[in-house]
Amino acid sequence: MTTGPSIDNSARARQAPLLKGHWLFGVNFQMRKDPLGTMTRGMRRLGDAVYLHLGPYRATLLRNPEHIKHVFVDNAANYSKKTRGYIKARLVLGDGLVTSEGELWQRQRRIATPAFSRQRVEGFGKTMVNATQQMLDGWPSCVSAQSSLVNGSTDQISRVDQRGPQDPSEAGDADGMGVVDVFSEMMKVTLRIAVQTLLGIGPNSDLERLSGAVSEVLERTNALITNPFSLPAWVPLPKNRAFKRALGVLDRFVFDAIARRRAQFNESPDAPATDLLSILLRARDEQTGQGMGDRQLRDEAVTILIAGHETTANALSWALYLLASHPQVQADLIREIQQVLGKRPPLPEDIPQLRLTRAVIDEALRLYPPAWMIGRHAVKDDTIGPYSIRANEFILISPYMTHRHPGLWDSADEFDPNRFMDGRSDRLPKFAYIPFGGGQRFCIGANFALLQSVLMLASICQRFELGVVESHPIVPYAMITLRPKFGIRLKVKKR
């Protein structure tokens, strides 16, 4: 399809159609329980804009690319980040690039942008591939060691899956295939890569405590964001105390890294910067000559550490699941990898030839965008297309809904990476595909995430065949990011 849904600008501005719910709470509880299903049903029934009562809040949900362009570009100054989500996210991220605004954001963006240039990011390619290969080295031994546990019984595999094994590989079958929780594996390896590339901390460091702290702060922040009736984080509830302890672990980890890097820089100011923290520490605003203090470095480092590893782990996990569910696409991908790479590891310069590999990532980001919801606060009254927007209400933009818009994408709910290779996606409106946001606030780490995702996917599929575990439920879980609720367990077999 070449055009987006039409907008009637001649009609008198009106409030978007209301998605009916409880007389007092609106659809707050439905959105908390099943936001994806609630949005899908609402937009299927009411169209491209839906008005929501969310307890004490009012919001207009949008999915039309022209409406999104208005918010991100045409009248971006009217839409701030003073939303409940971003306010609660500041408890963890501080004033990093995701949450800051105004002059502070502009200054930080100017300082940080050179650190994420394509040339800089490609310099981390070897680290990304090495970490992935080290992870994969552990998969075959788990497979062969566990195969005898179930003696080829699919019933026993089912029982293992339902039990929820802690180890990522606890079952196998008669074909020598093991079952790996690829979501757990992707979370671990992307955190390891983030720590190495961002903070310059070696691969042998103990990341278990950091990983637990990150999981705790994400879980609690999500609860604070989604429940408008939750008590503030300063109330000494057991969950809030656990949140503060986890945040303390995260802060100590990052502040210690900053102190080490600053000491090294003071000793050897001309030494090359080999990680993002070193680059940011040395960077200066071209307009003011100022650099970042330790607190601002902490906020940027935590933002990149959490957002960088969480979103990439999600995207890769969904991509692996989609490939396991579509054997023909997987076979085509293997042929491409063999033709381009042979048996050698992938390199950043291979990516232009790994067209299907990149298209699989693009399609996974379309169907399961990690940033599934983007919120804004209306500063003043406005009109978006035919719809009136009131000051102090909220705008919700859902990449998940826009990416599955049947008026934009043919076979919108189906996995079809060829749409990113045959020109169909190029004919769509600019804001029909927004996995990294849009406008001035387009994600600064997009190049990093795409490079890492393609290199890791090529590395995994070069060495392992993937298959689905029929008994294991795959359920999208819309937290801060779009996670698989029960993980993603796949059958894996060494090629």
Side-chain angles (χ1 to χ4, degrees):
M1 298 183 183
T2 59
T3 61
S6 62
I7 299 176
D8 179 12
N9 289 299
S10 64
R12 185 176 180 180
R14 62 191 186 277
Q15 177 185 286
L18 174 68
L19 182 59
K20 294 180 180 180
H22 188 271
W23 69 271
L24 178 60
F25 301 114
V27 295
N28 177 67
F29 296 114
Q30 293 96 312
M31 283 292 288
R32 287 189 64 199
K33 183 179 180 181
D34 181 18
L36 302 180
T38 301
M39 291 189 303
T40 299
R41 289 187 293 271
M43 291 195 140
R44 188 175 293 152
R45 190 162 66 244
L46 301 175
D48 281 354
V50 176
Y51 194 68
L52 305 174
H53 288 186
L54 301 169
Y57 305 105
R58 301 292 183 268
T60 301
L61 173 66
L62 304 174
R63 68 173 179 177
N64 187 299
E66 289 301 316
H67 296 164
I68 295 169
K69 177 176 177 288
H70 180 91
V71 176
F72 281 167
V73 178
D74 298 339
N75 197 18
N78 190 54
Y79 296 96
S80 77
K81 287 197 168 186
K82 291 183 175 65
T83 68
R84 179 180 180 84
Y86 287 114
I87 289 170
K88 297 302 181 183
R90 284 190 178 94
L91 295 172
V92 179
L93 306 181
D95 286 321
L97 280 170
V98 169
T99 52
S100 61
E101 294 192 278
E103 292 183 4
L104 173 61
W105 174 80
Q106 291 175 1
R107 185 176 75 91
Q108 293 305 108
R109 183 82 178 202
R110 288 195 301 268
I111 295 175
T113 295
F116 290 90
S117 68
R118 186 175 300 276
Q119 183 178 3
R120 289 276 195 185
V121 166
E122 288 183 351
F124 298 124
K126 185 176 181 180
T127 298
M128 297 169 179
V129 172
N130 287 345
T132 306
Q133 299 289 2
Q134 290 171 10
M135 172 192 70
L136 296 175
D137 287 344
W139 285 12
S141 59
C142 291
V143 171
S144 58
Q146 299 295 336
S147 295
S148 61
L149 290 178
V150 295
N151 297 318
S153 168
T154 56
D155 290 339
Q156 287 172 300
I157 293 175
S158 298
R159 287 197 292 273
V160 170
D161 286 331
Q162 292 166 4
R163 187 178 71 239
Q166 297 300 309
D167 187 271
S169 304
E170 284 204 4
D173 61 23
D175 297 325
M177 299 188 79
V179 177
V180 172
D181 185 343
V182 295
F183 176 64
S184 174
E185 293 287 272
M186 294 307 108
M187 287 291 283
K188 291 176 184 177
V189 72
T190 56
L191 180 61
R192 187 178 303 119
I193 291 169
V195 166
Q196 288 183 247
T197 58
L198 172 61
L199 303 179
I201 296 175
N204 296 322
S205 59
D206 182 9
L207 299 182
E208 290 297 325
R209 195 174 182 211
L210 177 63
S211 178
V214 170
S215 295
E216 176 67 34
V217 298
L218 287 175
E219 290 277 355
R220 187 59 185 147
T221 303
N222 182 74
L224 292 170
I225 289 173
T226 58
N227 184 4
F229 306 105
S230 62
L231 294 173
W234 55 263
V235 177
L237 300 172
K239 289 183 178 180
N240 287 342
R241 289 198 294 268
F243 171 77
K244 289 184 178 180
R245 286 194 298 271
L247 192 57
V249 171
L250 179 60
D251 281 350
R252 284 192 297 275
F253 193 91
V254 173
F255 275 122
D256 286 349
I258 291 171
R260 288 194 299 271
R261 281 292 176 266
R262 198 173 285 283
Q264 292 169 358
F265 174 63
N266 290 336
E267 291 179 5
S268 306
D270 297 326
T274 57
D275 54 76
L276 288 172
L277 180 58
S278 298
I279 297 170
L280 293 175
L281 188 148
R282 298 168 185 226
R284 295 293 181 270
D285 182 0
E286 60 184 17
Q287 295 187 12
T288 66
Q290 294 179 330
M292 297 188 198
D294 283 0
R295 183 67 203 185
Q296 193 62 52
L297 280 169
R298 176 266 174 211
D299 291 350
E300 302 301 350
V302 169
T303 297
I304 299 167
L305 184 66
I306 291 179
H309 105 273
E310 169 88 5
T311 55
T312 304
N314 281 315
L316 277 166
S317 298
W318 290 118
L320 292 169
Y321 163 69
L322 290 166
L323 284 173
S325 306
H326 296 81
Q328 185 56 57
V329 178
Q330 185 178 172
D332 293 342
L333 180 68
I334 293 306
R335 278 193 292 272
E336 175 181 89
I337 291 172
Q338 291 174 340
Q339 290 172 2
V340 175
L341 303 179
K343 295 184 178 181
R344 66 172 176 81
L347 301 169
E349 50 265 37
D350 295 317
I351 289 181
Q353 284 74 49
L354 294 171
R355 295 183 65 239
L356 180 55
T357 311
R358 168 63 189 270
V360 167
I361 294 295
D362 289 337
E363 181 72 341
L365 289 171
R366 184 186 73 83
L367 288 170
Y368 300 102
W372 64 278
M373 181 74 85
I374 301 169
R376 292 291 188 268
H377 167 261
V379 179
K380 299 178 182 178
D381 289 351
D382 194 14
T383 301
I384 302 179
Y387 304 112
S388 61
I389 305 298
R390 296 177 182 177
N392 295 317
E393 293 189 344
F394 299 98
I395 293 293
L396 300 177
I397 293 169
S398 175
Y400 181 92
M401 298 304 303
T402 300
H403 292 178
R404 292 172 180 256
H405 194 315
L408 294 168
W409 305 87
D410 57 277
S411 303
D413 292 326
E414 294 182 10
F415 176 62
D416 179 12
N418 285 326
R419 72 176 83 240
F420 288 96
M421 300 175 65
D422 60 15
R424 280 177 288 163
S425 64
D426 297 333
R427 296 191 292 270
L428 293 171
K430 182 175 181 181
F431 290 90
Y433 184 66
I434 49 172
F436 298 102
Q440 285 188 325
R441 303 302 296 247
F442 184 82
C443 177
I444 196 173
N447 286 337
F448 186 101
L450 289 171
L451 174 76
Q452 181 176 353
S453 298
V454 174
L455 291 177
M456 289 183 66
L457 185 63
S459 298
I460 294 167
C461 293
Q462 185 181 42
R463 293 179 58 178
F464 283 89
E465 176 185 342
L466 307 170
V468 296
V469 175
E470 299 292 347
S471 61
H472 182 69
I474 303 296
V475 180
Y477 183 36
M479 287 182 53
I480 297 174
T481 58
L482 189 58
R483 286 184 169 194
K485 187 172 185 177
F486 304 109
I488 295 179
R489 294 194 181 112
L490 299 179
K491 293 181 181 180
V492 299
K493 181 179 181 181
K494 193 171 182 180
R495 295 189 183 280

